[in-house]
Amino acid sequence: MKPRSPRLAVRALILQQDRLLLVNAYGGGVSDLWCAPGGGVELGSSLPNNLIREVYEETGLTVAVGAPVLVNEFHAPEQGFHQVDVYFRCDIIAGALDVAWRDPEGIVTERRFFSRDEMECIRFKPDSLARSAWGNEIIYDPLELLVK
């Protein structure tokens, strides 16, 4: 089997009124895991432009992309899957969350803002997400297993 390159993805850390925007990580209700909005990078488009597209598709929001703050890696060795996520601080410049919004890929069906205290009561990945969102440092979160 020919080795595959890691998949590259971008994700947005969007704080509004000290609450972090998260979306469901898997479609079809197969998991209660939450993650930051974002997705795979398309060739020929910059990381910020990919992120603007992904956030809009998943949430209906238009964002301005700021500085990168987190690099996270995860993998599923038995499937030959490895992904590298680059997280950027983002600000909402247009739009509002709307329950009627539909992700064109049908994966994201839930989106909401969580306080730091509320995040202690939910499952989310990566583990360093809250520290990155509310912190001031740039973080590398080492390779971890993919979870559902």
Side-chain angles (χ1 to χ4, degrees):
M1 177 166 77
K2 181 181 175 186
R4 295 179 2 199
S5 295
R7 178 179 189 255
L8 180 60
V10 288
R11 298 206 174 270
L13 295 182
I14 302 169
L15 285 172
Q16 187 176 67
Q17 298 175 346
D18 206 34
R19 298 166 67 85
L20 180 63
L21 179 61
L22 299 177
V23 298
N24 60 288
Y26 295 97
V30 299
S31 174
D32 62 350
L33 190 69
W34 292 85
C35 66
V41 169
E42 294 179 355
L43 292 174
S45 183
S46 70
L47 297 180
N49 285 343
N50 273 286
L51 187 52
I52 290 166
R53 174 185 48 78
E54 284 288 344
V55 169
Y56 184 77
E57 287 176 358
E58 294 182 358
T59 67
L61 302 173
T62 303
V63 295
V65 179
V69 294
L70 169 64
V71 176
N72 170 251
E73 294 186 74
F74 58 91
H75 69 145
E78 69 285 351
Q79 298 169 3
F81 180 78
H82 181 167
Q83 182 161 312
V84 177
D85 285 346
V86 180
Y87 288 73
F88 292 82
R89 291 202 186 284
C90 294
D91 293 313
I92 298 170
I93 57 173
L97 292 185
D98 181 346
V99 294
W101 183 261
R102 296 293 175 251
D103 172 7
E105 295 193 15
I107 296 170
V108 173
T109 56
E110 296 180 65
R111 53 200 68 78
R112 66 172 276 216
F113 286 94
F114 290 88
S115 70
R116 195 161 190 176
D117 287 342
E118 289 171 324
M119 288 187 66
E120 293 178 14
C121 302
I122 63 168
R123 290 181 61 235
F124 62 86
K125 279 295 184 183
D127 295 339
S128 60
L129 188 60
R131 193 173 105 212
S132 297
W134 281 279
N136 293 318
E137 59 188 315
I138 297 173
I139 298 171
Y140 168 68
D141 198 357
L143 187 65
E144 60 183 313
L145 290 173
L146 177 69
V147 298
K148 283 203 176 190

